[in-house]
Amino acid sequence: MTLKDKNRIFLFLFIFSAIIFLFNITVLCIAAAAKSIVPPINPMRPFVLIPKGGLCPYNFNSSLAAIIAFSLSAPALSIAIFKGFEKTPSLEILFFSGFIISCVTESARILLPLFGFWKTNSLFLIYIGRIVAAGRFLAPISLFFATVFSSAEELQNAERNIFILLASTCAFGFFYPMDTTITTSTCTVLWGFRKFFAVIRVFIVVVTIFSVLAEAYTKGINGIYIKALGIVILATGYGLLCNTDCWLEFFIAIILYASGCVLYLKTVHYLENTWN
Protein backbone atom coordinates (compact mmCIF):
# COMPACT_ATOMS: atom_id res chain seq x y z
CA MET A 1 0.00 0.00 0.00
CA THR A 2 1.45 3.34 -1.09
CA LEU A 3 1.66 6.58 0.86
CA LYS A 4 -1.04 8.08 -1.38
CA ASP A 5 -3.38 5.20 -0.58
CA LYS A 6 -2.86 5.71 3.16
CA ASN A 7 -3.56 9.43 2.90
CA ARG A 8 -6.71 8.77 0.86
CA ILE A 9 -7.97 6.37 3.51
CA PHE A 10 -7.63 8.95 6.28
CA LEU A 11 -9.08 11.71 4.12
CA PHE A 12 -12.09 9.50 3.41
CA LEU A 13 -12.38 8.67 7.12
CA PHE A 14 -12.35 12.38 7.94
CA ILE A 15 -15.10 13.21 5.44
CA PHE A 16 -17.24 10.21 6.37
CA SER A 17 -16.90 10.65 10.14
CA ALA A 18 -17.47 14.42 9.87
CA ILE A 19 -20.75 13.75 8.05
CA ILE A 20 -21.78 11.29 10.77
CA PHE A 21 -20.90 13.83 13.48
CA LEU A 22 -22.88 16.63 11.81
CA PHE A 23 -25.84 14.27 11.35
CA ASN A 24 -25.74 13.30 15.03
CA ILE A 25 -25.59 16.91 16.21
CA THR A 26 -28.37 18.02 13.85
CA VAL A 27 -30.72 15.18 14.75
CA LEU A 28 -29.96 15.57 18.46
CA CYS A 29 -30.76 19.30 18.39
CA ILE A 30 -33.99 18.70 16.47
CA ALA A 31 -35.05 15.92 18.84
CA ALA A 32 -34.18 18.04 21.89
CA ALA A 33 -36.20 20.98 20.54
CA ALA A 34 -39.15 18.69 19.87
CA LYS A 35 -38.70 17.01 23.29
CA SER A 36 -38.81 13.62 21.59
CA ILE A 37 -35.70 12.08 23.16
CA VAL A 38 -36.68 8.85 24.92
CA PRO A 39 -34.36 7.82 27.78
CA PRO A 40 -34.23 4.13 28.68
CA ILE A 41 -36.68 2.99 31.36
CA ASN A 42 -35.06 1.31 34.37
CA PRO A 43 -31.80 0.67 32.51
CA MET A 44 -29.06 -1.63 33.72
CA ARG A 45 -25.82 0.16 34.58
CA PRO A 46 -23.02 -1.96 33.07
CA PHE A 47 -20.28 -0.25 35.08
CA VAL A 48 -20.02 2.17 38.01
CA LEU A 49 -16.60 3.67 38.70
CA ILE A 50 -17.32 4.45 42.38
CA PRO A 51 -20.25 2.30 43.55
CA LYS A 52 -20.56 3.88 46.99
CA GLY A 53 -20.78 7.45 48.25
CA GLY A 54 -23.14 8.80 45.63
CA LEU A 55 -20.26 10.16 43.52
CA CYS A 56 -21.47 8.43 40.34
CA PRO A 57 -25.23 8.96 40.10
CA TYR A 58 -26.82 7.94 36.83
CA ASN A 59 -27.28 10.81 34.38
CA PHE A 60 -28.72 10.16 30.93
CA ASN A 61 -27.21 13.34 29.46
CA SER A 62 -23.69 12.15 30.29
CA SER A 63 -24.30 9.05 28.17
CA LEU A 64 -25.34 11.25 25.26
CA ALA A 65 -22.25 13.42 25.80
CA ALA A 66 -20.01 10.33 25.67
CA ILE A 67 -21.56 9.28 22.34
CA ILE A 68 -21.04 12.77 20.90
CA ALA A 69 -17.44 12.73 22.17
CA PHE A 70 -16.79 9.51 20.27
CA SER A 71 -18.47 10.96 17.19
CA LEU A 72 -16.30 14.10 17.38
CA SER A 73 -13.06 12.22 18.07
CA ALA A 74 -13.28 10.25 14.81
CA PRO A 75 -12.93 13.23 12.41
CA ALA A 76 -10.51 14.93 14.82
CA LEU A 77 -8.19 11.91 14.87
CA SER A 78 -8.55 11.38 11.11
CA ILE A 79 -7.53 14.92 10.16
CA ALA A 80 -4.75 14.97 12.78
CA ILE A 81 -3.25 11.80 11.30
CA PHE A 82 -3.79 13.00 7.74
CA LYS A 83 -1.84 16.18 8.47
CA GLY A 84 0.74 14.80 10.91
CA PHE A 85 1.56 11.59 9.03
CA GLU A 86 1.03 12.86 5.48
CA LYS A 87 4.63 12.09 4.50
CA THR A 88 5.19 9.22 6.91
CA PRO A 89 4.67 5.67 5.58
CA SER A 90 3.49 3.94 8.75
CA LEU A 91 1.69 0.60 8.88
CA GLU A 92 1.01 1.21 12.56
CA ILE A 93 -0.99 4.32 11.76
CA LEU A 94 -2.74 2.50 8.92
CA PHE A 95 -4.06 -0.12 11.35
CA PHE A 96 -5.03 2.67 13.77
CA SER A 97 -7.72 3.57 11.22
CA GLY A 98 -9.61 0.56 12.64
CA PHE A 99 -9.69 2.29 16.02
CA ILE A 100 -11.14 5.40 14.38
CA ILE A 101 -13.83 3.28 12.71
CA SER A 102 -14.71 1.86 16.12
CA CYS A 103 -15.32 5.42 17.34
CA VAL A 104 -17.74 5.94 14.45
CA THR A 105 -19.65 2.78 15.34
CA GLU A 106 -20.26 4.15 18.84
CA SER A 107 -22.36 6.85 17.15
CA ALA A 108 -25.00 4.20 16.39
CA ARG A 109 -25.97 4.26 20.08
CA ILE A 110 -27.54 7.68 19.71
CA LEU A 111 -30.28 6.27 17.47
CA LEU A 112 -31.91 4.38 20.34
CA PRO A 113 -32.95 7.37 22.50
CA LEU A 114 -33.55 9.70 19.54
CA PHE A 115 -36.02 7.39 17.83
CA GLY A 116 -37.15 5.34 20.82
CA PHE A 117 -36.22 2.03 19.21
CA TRP A 118 -36.17 0.27 22.57
CA LYS A 119 -39.94 0.79 22.95
CA THR A 120 -40.44 -2.15 20.60
CA ASN A 121 -38.39 -5.26 19.98
CA SER A 122 -37.43 -4.20 16.45
CA LEU A 123 -34.64 -5.42 14.19
CA PHE A 124 -32.94 -2.05 14.68
CA LEU A 125 -32.11 -3.10 18.24
CA ILE A 126 -30.26 -6.13 16.93
CA TYR A 127 -28.51 -4.21 14.15
CA ILE A 128 -27.36 -1.43 16.44
CA GLY A 129 -26.25 -3.91 19.10
CA ARG A 130 -24.18 -5.82 16.54
CA ILE A 131 -22.62 -2.63 15.16
CA VAL A 132 -21.58 -1.50 18.63
CA ALA A 133 -20.29 -4.98 19.58
CA ALA A 134 -18.24 -5.16 16.36
CA GLY A 135 -16.77 -1.71 17.04
CA ARG A 136 -15.81 -2.62 20.58
CA PHE A 137 -14.03 -5.70 19.28
CA LEU A 138 -12.38 -3.70 16.48
CA ALA A 139 -10.83 -1.11 18.82
CA PRO A 140 -8.49 -3.43 20.79
CA ILE A 141 -7.79 -5.75 17.86
CA SER A 142 -6.71 -2.73 15.76
CA LEU A 143 -4.19 -1.74 18.42
CA PHE A 144 -2.97 -5.34 18.46
CA PHE A 145 -2.50 -5.44 14.68
CA ALA A 146 -0.80 -2.03 14.80
CA THR A 147 1.73 -3.46 17.23
CA VAL A 148 2.34 -6.93 15.81
CA PHE A 149 1.99 -6.35 12.05
CA SER A 150 3.63 -2.94 11.62
CA SER A 151 7.20 -4.01 10.88
CA ALA A 152 8.85 -3.39 7.50
CA GLU A 153 8.70 -7.14 6.80
CA GLU A 154 4.89 -6.98 6.87
CA LEU A 155 4.65 -4.21 4.27
CA GLN A 156 3.87 -6.59 1.43
CA ASN A 157 1.16 -8.25 3.54
CA ALA A 158 -0.57 -5.00 4.53
CA GLU A 159 -3.67 -5.51 2.37
CA ARG A 160 -4.04 -9.11 3.55
CA ASN A 161 -3.74 -8.14 7.21
CA ILE A 162 -6.25 -5.31 6.84
CA PHE A 163 -8.69 -7.74 5.20
CA ILE A 164 -8.21 -10.22 8.08
CA LEU A 165 -8.77 -7.41 10.60
CA LEU A 166 -12.02 -6.22 9.01
CA ALA A 167 -13.31 -9.70 8.16
CA SER A 168 -12.80 -11.00 11.70
CA THR A 169 -14.53 -7.91 13.10
CA CYS A 170 -17.53 -8.26 10.78
CA ALA A 171 -17.80 -11.99 11.60
CA PHE A 172 -17.66 -11.24 15.32
CA GLY A 173 -20.38 -8.61 15.06
CA PHE A 174 -22.58 -10.84 12.90
CA PHE A 175 -22.39 -14.03 14.95
CA TYR A 176 -22.05 -12.77 18.53
CA PRO A 177 -25.32 -13.33 20.48
CA MET A 178 -27.44 -10.32 21.40
CA ASP A 179 -29.86 -9.90 24.32
CA THR A 180 -32.34 -7.24 23.20
CA THR A 181 -34.53 -7.70 26.27
CA ILE A 182 -32.14 -5.67 28.42
CA THR A 183 -31.31 -2.02 27.78
CA THR A 184 -28.38 -0.32 29.43
CA SER A 185 -27.80 3.16 30.81
CA THR A 186 -25.22 3.75 28.05
CA CYS A 187 -27.84 3.57 25.26
CA THR A 188 -27.16 0.03 24.10
CA VAL A 189 -28.77 -3.35 24.26
CA LEU A 190 -26.94 -6.07 26.10
CA TRP A 191 -24.96 -8.76 24.34
CA GLY A 192 -24.65 -12.31 25.56
CA PHE A 193 -21.80 -13.54 27.78
CA ARG A 194 -21.05 -9.95 28.83
CA LYS A 195 -18.18 -10.86 31.18
CA PHE A 196 -16.64 -13.15 28.57
CA PHE A 197 -16.79 -10.32 26.02
CA ALA A 198 -15.07 -7.97 28.48
CA VAL A 199 -12.37 -10.55 29.21
CA ILE A 200 -11.66 -10.96 25.48
CA ARG A 201 -11.16 -7.23 25.01
CA VAL A 202 -8.98 -6.84 28.12
CA PHE A 203 -6.92 -9.88 27.10
CA ILE A 204 -6.24 -8.39 23.64
CA VAL A 205 -5.13 -5.09 25.21
CA VAL A 206 -2.86 -6.87 27.70
CA VAL A 207 -1.24 -8.95 24.93
CA THR A 208 -0.77 -5.75 22.91
CA ILE A 209 0.97 -4.00 25.80
CA PHE A 210 3.25 -6.95 26.47
CA SER A 211 4.10 -7.08 22.76
CA VAL A 212 5.10 -3.41 22.85
CA LEU A 213 7.18 -3.95 26.01
CA ALA A 214 8.90 -6.94 24.41
CA GLU A 215 9.72 -4.83 21.36
CA ALA A 216 11.09 -2.04 23.58
CA TYR A 217 13.26 -4.49 25.50
CA THR A 218 14.55 -6.18 22.33
CA LYS A 219 15.36 -2.96 20.47
CA GLY A 220 16.45 -1.01 23.54
CA ILE A 221 14.43 2.07 22.54
CA ASN A 222 12.97 3.97 25.49
CA GLY A 223 10.42 5.72 23.32
CA ILE A 224 8.60 2.43 22.80
CA TYR A 225 7.97 2.22 26.56
CA ILE A 226 6.24 5.59 26.30
CA LYS A 227 4.11 4.19 23.47
CA ALA A 228 3.08 1.33 25.76
CA LEU A 229 2.04 3.88 28.39
CA GLY A 230 0.02 5.71 25.74
CA ILE A 231 -1.82 2.50 24.85
CA VAL A 232 -2.62 1.85 28.53
CA ILE A 233 -4.05 5.35 29.00
CA LEU A 234 -5.89 5.28 25.66
CA ALA A 235 -7.45 1.85 26.30
CA THR A 236 -8.50 2.86 29.82
CA GLY A 237 -10.08 6.10 28.64
CA TYR A 238 -11.80 4.35 25.73
CA GLY A 239 -13.23 1.62 27.94
CA LEU A 240 -14.48 4.10 30.53
CA LEU A 241 -16.03 6.34 27.88
CA CYS A 242 -17.88 3.32 26.43
CA ASN A 243 -19.46 2.73 29.85
CA THR A 244 -20.00 6.34 30.90
CA ASP A 245 -23.38 7.12 32.45
CA CYS A 246 -22.45 9.84 34.97
CA TRP A 247 -20.59 13.14 34.74
CA LEU A 248 -17.63 12.13 36.93
CA GLU A 249 -16.93 9.13 34.71
CA PHE A 250 -17.36 11.31 31.63
CA PHE A 251 -14.73 13.89 32.62
CA ILE A 252 -12.23 11.28 33.78
CA ALA A 253 -12.77 9.29 30.58
CA ILE A 254 -12.32 12.36 28.36
CA ILE A 255 -9.04 13.29 30.07
CA LEU A 256 -7.67 9.75 29.78
CA TYR A 257 -8.93 9.23 26.23
CA ALA A 258 -7.56 12.53 24.90
CA SER A 259 -4.24 12.16 26.78
CA GLY A 260 -3.81 8.58 25.53
CA CYS A 261 -4.49 9.55 21.91
CA VAL A 262 -2.04 12.45 22.03
CA LEU A 263 0.69 10.47 23.79
CA TYR A 264 0.33 7.45 21.51
CA LEU A 265 0.25 9.38 18.23
CA LYS A 266 3.07 11.74 19.19
CA THR A 267 5.25 8.81 20.23
CA VAL A 268 4.54 6.88 17.03
CA HIS A 269 5.30 10.01 14.99
CA TYR A 270 8.59 10.51 16.87
CA LEU A 271 9.63 6.88 16.49
CA GLU A 272 8.75 6.77 12.79
CA ASN A 273 10.74 9.90 12.01
CA THR A 274 13.69 9.10 14.28
CA TRP A 275 14.37 5.41 13.81
CA ASN A 276 13.02 4.62 10.33
Side-chain angles (χ1 to χ4, degrees), residues 92 143-153 207-228 231 264 267-268 271-272 275-276:
E92 187 164 2
L143 295 176
F144 173 76
F145 270 64
T147 299
V148 177
F149 300 111
S150 60
S151 62
E153 293 79 10
V207 171
T208 301
I209 294 169
F210 274 106
S211 299
V212 176
L213 293 176
E215 180 188 8
Y217 178 79
T218 302
K219 295 182 178 179
I221 302 174
N222 292 331
I224 302 180
Y225 289 107
I226 300 176
K227 183 175 72 172
I231 293 175
Y264 175 76
T267 306
V268 172
L271 292 173
E272 287 289 336
W275 300 99
N276 292 336

Side-chain angles (χ1 to χ4, degrees), residues 68-274:
I68 294 299
F70 271 123
S71 186
L72 175 60
S73 70
L77 288 172
S78 299
I79 196 64
I81 292 173
F82 178 75
K83 293 293 186 182
F85 292 82
E86 187 175 3
K87 298 180 180 180
T88 306
S90 172
L91 281 180
E92 187 164 2
I93 288 301
L94 182 62
F95 286 119
F96 190 76
S97 62
F99 183 86
I100 296 176
I101 295 173
S102 74
C103 295
V104 177
T105 62
E106 290 294 328
S107 300
R109 291 193 284 149
I110 205 170
L111 299 176
L112 295 183
L114 292 188
F115 297 100
F117 285 141
W118 36 41
K119 287 182 177 180
T120 59
N121 191 14
S122 66
L123 287 176
F124 281 104
L125 284 173
I126 299 175
Y127 293 150
I128 293 172
R130 293 196 181 283
I131 289 171
V132 174
R136 294 192 180 182
F137 177 77
L138 178 60
I141 204 71
S142 296
L143 295 176
F144 173 76
F145 270 64
T147 299
V148 177
F149 300 111
S150 60
S151 62
E153 293 79 10
E154 294 291 339
L155 183 60
Q156 60 183 355
N157 299 321
E159 289 84 356
R160 183 202 64 184
N161 292 334
I162 290 173
F163 174 79
I164 293 173
L165 173 64
L166 296 178
S168 60
T169 299
C170 291
F172 183 90
F174 183 80
F175 290 108
Y176 201 80
M178 295 287 112
D179 185 0
T180 57
T181 61
I182 301 177
T183 55
T184 71
S185 56
T186 56
C187 302
T188 63
V189 293
L190 205 62
W191 35 79
F193 309 105
R194 184 165 60 97
K195 291 183 179 179
F196 176 70
F197 185 37
V199 168
I200 290 176
R201 296 164 64 202
V202 172
F203 176 76
I204 294 172
V205 172
V206 171
V207 171
T208 301
I209 294 169
F210 274 106
S211 299
V212 176
L213 293 176
E215 180 188 8
Y217 178 79
T218 302
K219 295 182 178 179
I221 302 174
N222 292 331
I224 302 180
Y225 289 107
I226 300 176
K227 183 175 72 172
L229 177 61
I231 293 175
V232 172
I233 298 174
L234 172 58
T236 304
Y238 171 84
L240 185 57
L241 197 59
C242 286
N243 294 287
T244 288
D245 61 4
C246 81
W247 287 117
L248 178 62
E249 291 176 355
F250 174 78
F251 290 117
I252 294 175
I254 285 293
I255 293 172
L256 292 174
Y257 181 71
S259 302
C261 285
V262 171
L263 183 60
Y264 175 76
L265 293 177
K266 286 187 70 174
T267 306
V268 172
H269 187 272
Y270 169 77
L271 292 173
E272 287 289 336
N273 287 281
T274 303

Side-chain angles (χ1 to χ4, degrees), residues 36-56:
S36 60
I37 300 177
V38 183
I41 300 173
N42 298 321
M44 185 203 77
R45 300 187 70 180
F47 175 79
V48 180
L49 183 62
I50 305 176
K52 298 180 180 179
L55 295 176
C56 294

